[in-house]
Amino acid sequence: MNAQITITIKLFGALRQFSEDHAVIISVPVNSHLNTLKKALVNSLLGSPTSTSNTALFESSVFANDSEILTLETILSKNQTLTLLPPVCGG
């Protein structure tokens, strides 16, 4: 039996449209890479992605914890809360 961890993902900016609570809870196996979580999140929110603009929004967004931006190779080993930050433009 594969042990699971629960990750709460806070959504900001343009990503908020995908959840009324502006957060999503996803379970993944212990020691999954962040990339596995990202794929599970996209699948959960978009199903089979048909809109390339929505898919591109998620692909260009980055995960962060309380102190740093995370890479997709980051190992997830415990229950935690992460933030998904969309790309921003401005001047």
Side-chain angles (χ1 to χ4, degrees), residues 55-67:
T55 303
L57 177 61
F58 281 94
E59 287 301 318
S60 58
S61 298
V62 295
F63 284 92
N65 60 21
D66 290 337
S67 60

Side-chain angles (χ1 to χ4, degrees), residues 6-10 23 64-66 70 78-83:
T6 302
I7 310 294
T8 301
I9 305 162
K10 295 186 214 174
N65 60 21
D66 290 337
L70 305 173
K78 62 181 180 179
N79 296 337
Q80 59 189 298
T81 298
L82 299 176
T83 301

Side-chain angles (χ1 to χ4, degrees), residues 7-82:
I7 310 294
T8 301
I9 305 162
K10 295 186 214 174
L11 304 174
F12 287 91
L15 296 168
R16 289 182 144 201
Q17 67 181 310
F18 297 101
S19 172
E20 289 181 19
D21 298 332
H22 308 299
V24 179
I25 298 172
I26 302 283
S27 292
V28 294
V30 173
N31 295 325
S32 292
H33 285 96
L34 189 56
N35 193 47
T36 300
L37 176 69
K38 192 171 197 176
K39 288 177 184 176
L41 175 66
V42 169
N43 189 46
S44 172
L45 294 180
L46 300 181
S48 112
T50 54
S51 169
T52 55
S53 64
N54 286 340
T55 303
L57 177 61
F58 281 94
E59 287 301 318
S60 58
S61 298
V62 295
F63 284 92
N65 60 21
D66 290 337
S67 60
E68 64 185 332
I69 301 293
L70 305 173
T71 69
L72 293 178
E73 292 79 32
T74 299
I75 302 290
L76 303 170
S77 60
K78 62 181 180 179
N79 296 337
Q80 59 189 298
T81 298
L82 299 176

